[in-house]
Amino acid sequence: MEMRDTMKSTKPQTNIKKNHMDVLWHEYADSADHTPITKASLSAKASVVGRVGIMMLSCGTGAWRVRSSMNELSELMNITCTVDIGLMSINYTCFDGNNSFSQSLCLTNTGVNTSQLNRLEKFVAHFSKTKLAESCEEIHSALDAIEKIHGLSSPFILAISAALACGAFTFLLGGGIVEMLCAFVGAGIGNYIRCKLSKHHFTLFLCIISSVSAACLSYTLLLKLLEFAFSVRLQHEAGYICSMLFIIPGFPFITSGIDLAKLDMRSGSERFMYSLIIVTVSTMTAWILAMLLGLKPISFLPLNLALWQWILFRLLASFCGVFGFSIMFNSPVPLAIASGIIGAASNTIRLELIDLCAFPPAAAAAFGAFIAGILASTLKGVVGYPRISITVPSVVIMVPGLYLYKGFYNLGIMNLTSAASWLASALLIILALPLGLIFARILTDNTFRYCT
């Protein structure tokens, strides 16, 4: 396979040589050759299979879905495919009875793009009707068109989405108007900086440290201004944690559990380690800033609300939070609304189970995720979107970012008993969330139910 180091005009003009070379997919095809893909060479067929797989992997979906799509395309082109999938790489081999073709593909970075995932799943679903008669060149041109559409929203819209999500998250964790306002501003500024840095291909650690620092500093500065102008109580500093919760890697956390359930050990382990890296860097950054700024993760001031008010506001906040996270995952508005409706129902039920029925938080999280999975399976047939692009955003709001931060904060000040308690609670919830989704998937999806 021949690969060249080409610099695209859409990327920043620097003198740094890229560490990952571009795969020139059209070199597997001949623009003058109109032979249908079913009669093309093995390398041409394998190039289509591999490119769809690596594009789906770049969208953040799990290994099971990537493999099933590659298998479906291989069957349609009368070849056999075996594939080993990680977080950022794919190793696969295609056979046609006489020959074999092996290839290793890797990504430069990983992320979440539910809009592109939706287009790729439709591409695979309609392949037998629309693409089997096309040539390899025509198919790669169609994939070019899908690949060129990167994000649906500008960094400003993504910043507003993060602000909305974290502001809603603040209320769900017990914060009031002041904490919600400060978290809204801090998260918006933090995610805007993260988006701008990511757009220019800065490394993961720099994006995390810069965005978390900006969020915490913005929260603190605004709180100080409110304290000076309106005599706001300093105890509202408790919400500074919420301003950085946009960084919590909910999507890889959930998909790692799903991959492990299907015994995709490599992908599941790598996704979990990626999530752990983000959590560690972000919480350590926030802890150091807290030390410098004199902030402490104290309890929120109590909100005196009636039961019906709690339920009503939790429904609204859950919808807003899930809607914001879904837009951050590059979902179109109809998909974000669908996720928001499911998240509003499932997350409110989870919180009421804890408050009214004294459920342990982990058990309530598993039940809430199960409800989200059942509702998503029902809604999938109506809206036609990939199930994972509906379920994961609706469950991300249940990821215990506050618990994780308090665990690392207490670990940093060597309060080991409290640190162990917070981290153990967080771990139980993180384990419970994919379990709820997995059992919902087992009940509603017969293709997921078996090990074949």
Side-chain angles (χ1 to χ4, degrees):
M1 180 182 65
E2 182 182 358
M3 295 185 291
R4 299 173 187 166
D5 186 26
T6 59
M7 297 298 290
K8 298 181 180 179
S9 59
T10 57
K11 295 184 178 180
Q13 298 297 319
T14 67
N15 294 322
I16 300 174
K17 187 175 182 180
K18 291 191 297 183
N19 191 246
H20 294 80
M21 300 176 71
D22 291 323
V23 179
L24 304 182
W25 294 107
H26 287 272
E27 290 196 349
Y28 290 98
D30 183 355
S31 58
D33 184 5
H34 299 288
T35 303
I37 190 63
T38 52
K39 298 181 180 179
S41 65
L42 177 61
S43 61
K45 294 176 180 179
S47 70
V48 173
V49 173
R51 188 177 184 187
V52 169
I54 200 69
M55 286 176 67
M56 294 191 75
L57 189 65
S58 71
C59 296
T61 192
W64 183 82
R65 190 67 191 101
V66 174
R67 181 180 292 104
S68 64
S69 296
M70 295 176 72
N71 289 344
E72 186 172 348
L73 293 179
S74 298
E75 290 175 2
L76 291 172
M77 292 184 286
N78 299 314
I79 60 176
T80 301
C81 178
T82 61
V83 57
D84 181 31
I85 303 170
L87 171 67
M88 297 179 60
S89 62
I90 291 177
N91 302 317
Y92 73 104
T93 301
C94 291
F95 311 85
D96 66 357
N98 299 313
N99 303 295
S100 65
F101 179 91
S102 298
Q103 194 169 39
S104 296
L105 301 172
C106 63
L107 301 169
T108 59
N109 203 350
T110 186
V112 180
N113 191 331
T114 56
S115 177
Q116 189 175 97
L117 176 61
N118 181 40
R119 292 192 293 272
L120 285 169
E121 290 211 351
K122 289 181 178 178
F123 176 90
V124 173
H126 300 152
F127 193 87
S128 61
K129 297 179 181 179
T130 61
K131 301 300 179 185
L132 285 181
E134 293 186 0
S135 66
C136 181
E137 174 71 19
E138 291 171 324
I139 293 173
H140 279 301
S141 296
L143 291 172
D144 286 342
I146 296 176
E147 199 170 36
K148 286 178 181 177
I149 305 174
H150 295 291
L152 297 178
S153 304
S154 66
F156 177 77
I157 296 299
L158 294 175
I160 295 298
S161 301
L164 178 65
C166 290
F169 220 143
T170 304
F171 174 79
L172 294 171
L173 292 172
I177 295 296
V178 174
E179 292 91 344
M180 292 172 66
L181 174 62
C182 294
F184 182 93
V185 174
I189 293 174
N191 199 48
Y192 181 82
I193 291 175
R194 182 177 69 156
C195 291
K196 297 297 286 187
L197 291 176
S198 298
K199 188 176 181 180
H200 290 86
H201 307 282
F202 284 98
T203 187
L204 175 67
F205 278 41
L206 178 60
C207 292
I208 295 172
I209 294 172
S210 300
S211 58
V212 169
S213 299
C216 292
L217 289 170
S218 300
Y219 184 101
T220 304
L221 179 60
L222 180 57
L223 182 60
K224 292 295 184 182
L225 291 174
L226 292 174
E227 181 187 7
F228 177 77
F230 302 102
S231 300
V232 171
R233 295 173 62 180
L234 188 60
Q235 194 172 352
H236 292 293
E237 73 181 41
Y240 79 94
I241 305 170
C242 303
S243 66
M244 54 162 277
L245 292 181
F246 63 89
I247 205 74
I248 296 299
F251 219 98
F253 258 142
I254 302 303
T255 53
S256 69
I258 295 174
D259 280 346
L260 291 173
K262 295 297 291 184
L263 299 184
D264 278 309
M265 306 303 292
R266 177 190 169 195
S267 178
S269 301
E270 290 181 11
R271 288 174 188 274
F272 185 79
M273 183 56 63
Y274 172 75
S275 304
L276 190 60
I277 289 172
I278 295 177
V279 169
T280 303
V281 175
S282 59
T283 51
M284 289 297 290
T285 301
W287 169 61
I288 293 172
L289 282 170
M291 295 296 100
L292 296 175
L293 299 173
L295 302 174
K296 295 180 180 179
I298 55 180
S299 300
F300 289 103
L301 293 171
L303 299 176
N304 297 317
L305 298 175
L307 176 60
W308 69 269
Q309 292 174 320
W310 274 115
I311 295 175
L312 178 63
F313 288 139
R314 280 173 172 172
L315 284 169
L316 180 60
S318 297
F319 175 85
C320 291
V322 174
F323 180 86
F325 279 122
S326 192
I327 294 295
M328 286 172 60
F329 296 150
N330 202 41
S331 300
V333 173
L335 177 56
I337 292 174
S339 299
I341 293 171
I342 292 175
S346 58
N347 191 54
T348 302
I349 292 173
R350 175 184 72 93
L351 293 172
E352 296 308 320
L353 285 174
I354 296 173
D355 288 351
L356 301 180
C357 302
F359 266 47
F367 194 77
F370 177 80
I371 293 173
I374 295 295
L375 293 176
S377 297
T378 304
L379 193 60
K380 177 182 181 293
V382 178
V383 299
Y385 290 109
R387 184 186 283 103
I388 194 171
S389 63
I390 302 175
T391 54
V392 175
S394 63
V395 172
V396 163
I397 202 167
M398 303 180 192
V399 174
L402 180 66
Y403 288 21
L404 289 169
Y405 173 73
K406 286 189 174 183
F408 276 93
Y409 178 91
N410 284 283
L411 187 63
I413 61 175
M414 299 306 294
N415 187 353
L416 301 184
T417 301
S418 184
S421 177
W422 284 112
L423 290 174
S425 297
L427 180 61
L428 284 174
I429 295 173
I430 289 170
L431 294 174
L433 291 175
L435 281 177
L437 287 180
I438 289 164
F439 280 106
R441 189 71 175 269
I442 290 173
L443 288 178
T444 59
D445 185 356
N446 58 359
T447 62
F448 193 86
R449 193 175 302 151
Y450 299 98
C451 181
T452 57

